[in-house]
Amino acid sequence: MTGKLPRLDLGVVPKFNEGTWRLRIEGFVEKPLKLTFAEVLKLPRMSETADFHCVTGWSRLDNKWDGVLFQTVVDAAKLKPEVRFVTFECSDGYTTSLPLADLLAGNVMLAYMLDGQTLEAKHGGPLRMVIPDKYGYKSAKWVETIRFTIDEEVGYWEQRGYSDTADPWTEDRYSR
Ligand SMILES: Nc1nc2c(c(=O)[nH]1)N[C@H]1C(S)=C(S)[C@@H](COP(=O)(O)O)O[C@H]1N2
Ligand SMILES: [Mo]
């Protein structure tokens, strides 16, 4: 357990330029979207307190996140019925993907605040995923593109041997 939220990423912290930043929602959707940060802030807002588990062993309890329920984005984009997976592309070049079904839980969100403050760049600001029931590497920081797909696009760590299901409760760390 660690007091402060430790940091783990590819070593680059992308700069946020609000003028050029867009959240792209694409793939098998009826309504592809390209949202400015201001438009993201106007979406219905939620907050939750969730623990965070990194596959390398540390956890940090009671992070308070503010942002948008992932289901809100799903509804806005109007998915085609054949969608089964979701890929997240981040501005540091990181990617990860999950089954759509894992993202419809009431605790899966896009976050732009942590513990009452604007989400710092080092923790994924301006916008990151928070998926409390998966290992940290599924919670993409600096999300830029959310793509709804039929087949899974295997992510960065998952290509390098980490479990694709990433369930911290069964200590499901590595792919078998
Ligand atoms: N874009 C991006 N997102 C990422 C990563 C990364 O390298 N790049 N690392 C992941 C891993 S392995 C973990 S444990 C968490 C760490 O989040 P934190 O740095 O805010 O603690 O971010 C995840 N999201
Ligand atoms: Mo991690």
Side-chain angles (χ1 to χ4, degrees), residues 13 15-16 26 29 38 53 67-68 79 81 84 95 98 102 120 122-124 129 131 135 154 165 167 173 175:
V13 175
K15 274 216 176 66
F16 174 41
E26 58 177 47
V29 296
H53 308 280
V68 179
L79 305 196
R84 292 290 175 274
T95 58
L98 292 108
D102 289 351
E120 286 178 85
K122 64 180 183 188
H123 287 307
M129 288 301 297
I131 310 173
Y135 275 128
V154 179
T165 44
D167 176 359
R173 289 197 172 95
S175 56

Side-chain angles (χ1 to χ4, degrees), residues 7-9 52-58 94 135-138 157 162:
R7 212 188 116 197
L8 189 73
D9 49 49
F52 202 84
H53 308 280
C54 178
V55 68
T56 58
W58 52 264
Y94 189 82
Y135 275 128
Y137 59 89
K138 295 288 186 183
W157 283 121
Y162 281 113

Side-chain angles (χ1 to χ4, degrees), residues 10-148:
L10 303 180
V12 234
V13 175
K15 274 216 176 66
F16 174 41
N17 177 336
E18 193 170 341
T20 55
W21 186 93
R22 295 292 181 274
L23 176 66
R24 289 186 169 72
I25 298 165
E26 58 177 47
F28 283 78
V29 296
E30 304 290 350
K31 253 190 98 180
L33 297 168
K34 213 175 178 195
L35 303 178
T36 63
F37 192 61
E39 288 169 332
V40 171
L41 295 180
K42 280 192 210 131
L43 294 171
R45 181 166 167 168
M46 69 172 282
S47 59
E48 74 182 7
T49 299
D51 303 340
F52 202 84
H53 308 280
C54 178
V55 68
T56 58
W58 52 264
S59 294
R60 198 253 198 179
L61 309 180
D62 292 338
N63 309 286
K64 183 178 178 267
W65 303 101
D66 285 85
V68 179
L69 183 67
F70 190 74
Q71 179 79 56
T72 301
V73 167
V74 166
D75 292 344
K78 304 199 186 316
L79 305 196
K80 298 196 173 167
E82 45 294 27
V83 171
R84 292 290 175 274
F85 291 94
V86 186
T87 302
F88 297 92
E89 286 180 352
C90 312
S91 49
D92 62 340
Y94 189 82
T95 58
T96 189
S97 58
L98 292 108
L100 174 65
D102 289 351
L103 296 171
L104 303 180
N107 62 356
V108 174
M109 61 187 288
L110 283 151
Y112 46 72
M113 287 180 77
L114 170 58
D115 294 333
Q117 309 288 322
T118 300
L119 182 60
E120 286 178 85
K122 64 180 183 188
H123 287 307
L127 192 69
R128 76 173 298 164
M129 288 301 297
V130 173
I131 310 173
D133 295 335
K134 296 287 170 185
Y135 275 128
Y137 59 89
K138 295 288 186 183
S139 290
K141 307 200 277 189
W142 312 298
V143 175
E144 278 190 335
T145 301
I146 301 175
R147 187 163 50 252
F148 293 95

